[in-house]
Amino acid sequence: MNTEIITENLEATESRMQFILDENSELQEISKDKCKPVEYPIKYKLKNAFEVFVRVDGTENYWISNYGRCVNNYLSKKLSKNKTNGYKFYEHKQGKCHYTIFEIEKDGSTWKRDTTPEDLVVDAFLVKYKGRFKVWHKDGDESNNWYKNLLTVTSDDYKNLKAGKITWQELNLEQEYIEYENKASYHAYTVYNGILARCKSTEETDSIHKCYNKSLMWQGWLDDPKSFVKWYLEHFYECGDEQMDVDKDLFGDGSGMYHPDFCCILPKGLNTLLANAKKHYKGGETPDNVLPLGVSYNSKTGKYTSSIQLTGAEKPIPLSEWDTAEEAFEEYRVLKKADILIVAAKYKNSIPDYIYDRLLKVEVKPY
């Protein structure tokens, strides 16, 4: 089945619901009837699937996200002569800072105003309450302008909070947040479609790599795609600008199945590192002639050898020649394990602890 058709069918079934994060960053499903459409969408790299950019009220060239990121295409649009071209966006400084935003009106006049990321987030994503004009950061981090980390309070409440005389929980204030339609489910279904396509591949499938020929998807995810979406969004995290992949092997049982007990999400660099090397054969490409991982046979010398391209290296390093495939693999195994451990250490502060702990225990197997 064409993956575009799969996407259309899945989107149709999910057209009335969407996933968001609640105030505890837990996954919650709500009706799209409770979400506002984004009137002026822009194409800009999102922090995650739950981030939404909306245009700053009263402007034409400024957008603020529910994570406190402000971007503008003011200068690009002003200087562009070809209005059919897309405009480049400039991303403002994040955190505890001030902005000056301005517009050129139709009559050519210019106005500008000083503001902050938190004020823009409050204007776009928080319901207003009479007399509550100050903004409090629930976690105490004034650089964290995620909309559900913000609470509007009165001036007196703000003074008491700053003085430590009361906690924001003790204020017992209601705070509603404005939800916009996001791309979380769409993003997750796109990943689902990619996995499904890999699992439908065969020896004759040209567009799918051979390593996926025996891949399977758990029946529970096949029967209920939404359960995959929920799993994916609950486990998703960012790792800089890296592409994030669903891996089935780090925690897998060797069956090649995409299953909630076996899958995890890895940055592309780690997922590539853990991928098996290309298979080599001795005396013909048959299952009986396959050599251990990383090992090749030189028919001219009658020796076994291997090579390894360490992470960050420009080219592979040729290793020693051995009389047996087992000896050649052992040399490869030791170096591959060392490479995994070094790279795992570099990712330590960017990946979940359970993934890091698993990486320390990875076994490099011959088959």
Side-chain angles (χ1 to χ4, degrees):
M1 180 183 291
N2 188 299
T3 56
E4 292 182 1
I5 298 176
I6 297 173
T7 302
E8 291 175 0
N9 292 339
L10 292 173
E11 284 183 329
T13 63
E14 300 302 313
S15 60
R16 304 308 303 165
M17 303 296 291
Q18 80 170 32
F19 283 104
I20 62 169
L21 296 179
D22 65 17
E23 294 176 49
N24 298 312
S25 295
E26 299 290 336
L27 204 64
Q28 179 183 352
E29 190 175 23
I30 66 172
S31 169
K32 278 195 176 180
D33 292 338
K34 297 180 180 180
C35 303
K36 295 178 64 174
V38 178
E39 294 186 51
Y40 304 99
I42 59 173
K43 291 184 178 181
Y44 195 78
K45 180 174 173 58
L46 300 179
K47 178 182 179 68
N48 59 42
F50 299 101
E51 186 173 32
V52 176
F53 278 94
V54 298
R55 196 164 77 173
V56 175
D57 189 36
T59 74
E60 291 184 358
N61 304 112
Y62 294 83
W63 281 259
I64 186 71
S65 86
N66 49 351
Y67 282 79
R69 292 203 297 162
C70 182
V71 300
N72 80 74
N73 63 4
Y74 175 76
L75 187 59
S76 174
K77 188 171 184 178
K78 180 181 177 181
L79 297 178
S80 176
K81 295 181 180 180
N82 185 353
K83 298 300 182 181
T84 62
N85 286 340
Y87 303 121
K88 292 182 179 180
F89 284 89
Y90 166 79
E91 183 170 337
H92 295 253
K93 183 179 179 181
Q94 298 178 45
K96 186 179 180 180
C97 55
H98 287 79
Y99 302 149
T100 298
I101 62 176
F102 59 96
E103 285 289 334
I104 296 179
E105 302 291 353
K106 292 182 179 180
D107 62 1
S109 61
T110 301
W111 64 271
K112 62 180 180 179
R113 65 183 173 101
D114 293 327
T115 187
T116 64
E118 64 185 47
D119 287 336
L120 294 179
V121 172
V122 167
D123 288 342
F125 298 98
L126 273 67
V127 173
K128 310 301 185 296
Y129 296 91
K130 185 177 180 180
R132 290 163 56 178
F133 303 114
K134 300 290 287 184
V135 182
W136 184 255
H137 294 74
K138 295 178 183 178
D139 66 354
D141 181 1
E142 295 185 351
S143 66
N144 179 7
N145 292 310
W146 180 51
Y147 69 133
K148 290 185 178 174
N149 187 48
L150 305 182
L151 174 70
T152 56
V153 298
T154 66
S155 295
D156 288 340
D157 286 338
Y158 186 82
K159 291 177 182 177
N160 290 329
L161 287 166
K162 289 287 284 186
K165 295 179 179 180
I166 194 172
T167 65
W168 68 268
Q169 294 93 335
E170 291 173 325
L171 291 175
N172 199 28
L173 292 175
E174 178 185 6
Q175 180 65 69
E176 292 186 66
Y177 299 91
I178 301 170
E179 301 293 351
Y180 285 84
E181 294 180 1
N182 63 43
K183 296 291 186 179
S185 293
Y186 176 83
H187 178 71
Y189 278 128
T190 301
V191 175
Y192 178 89
N193 290 335
I195 294 174
L196 193 60
R198 291 195 291 271
C199 292
K200 290 178 177 291
S201 68
T202 65
E203 294 288 347
E204 290 73 36
T205 305
D206 295 332
S207 60
I208 306 295
H209 196 279
K210 285 185 178 181
C211 66
Y212 293 109
N213 287 345
K214 296 182 180 179
S215 297
L216 302 169
M217 182 179 281
W218 178 53
Q219 192 63 43
W221 282 348
L222 288 171
D223 294 339
D224 182 15
K226 186 191 287 187
S227 64
F228 171 85
V229 170
K230 188 172 186 295
W231 174 88
Y232 181 83
L233 295 176
E234 286 176 338
H235 290 80
F236 187 82
Y237 61 96
E238 290 287 318
C239 191
D241 293 330
E242 283 197 65
Q243 175 182 318
M244 305 302 289
D245 298 334
V246 175
D247 173 79
K248 60 179 172 29
D249 300 315
L250 181 59
F251 292 90
D253 63 353
S255 65
M257 178 178 287
Y258 286 92
H259 186 284
D261 291 342
F262 304 152
C263 287
C264 68
I265 297 177
L266 295 176
K268 187 71 173 180
L270 268 179
N271 196 33
T272 301
L273 172 66
L274 296 174
N276 284 341
K278 181 181 178 181
K279 289 182 179 179
H280 292 97
Y281 301 85
K282 179 184 177 182
E285 189 171 328
T286 68
D288 295 333
N289 294 328
V290 65
L291 291 169
L293 177 67
V295 177
S296 59
Y297 177 71
N298 189 328
S299 59
K300 294 182 179 179
T301 63
K303 298 286 187 178
Y304 296 87
T305 188
S306 60
S307 65
I308 185 168
Q309 185 161 354
L310 299 174
T311 302
E314 294 183 359
K315 57 184 180 180
I317 301 171
L319 302 181
S320 308
E321 289 189 332
W322 299 89
D323 293 328
T324 67
E326 290 73 20
E327 290 173 309
F329 170 73
E330 180 59 20
E331 182 183 16
Y332 173 85
R333 184 193 68 79
V334 171
L335 292 173
K336 182 70 173 180
K337 175 69 174 181
D339 194 27
I340 292 172
L341 292 176
I342 291 171
V343 175
K346 293 179 180 178
Y347 277 96
K348 186 179 188 306
N349 296 324
S350 303
I351 60 179
D353 289 342
Y354 77 97
I355 292 179
Y356 175 75
D357 292 342
R358 183 70 173 189
L359 288 170
L360 299 183
K361 302 173 184 176
V362 167
E363 294 183 18
V364 181
K365 299 180 180 180
Y367 302 102

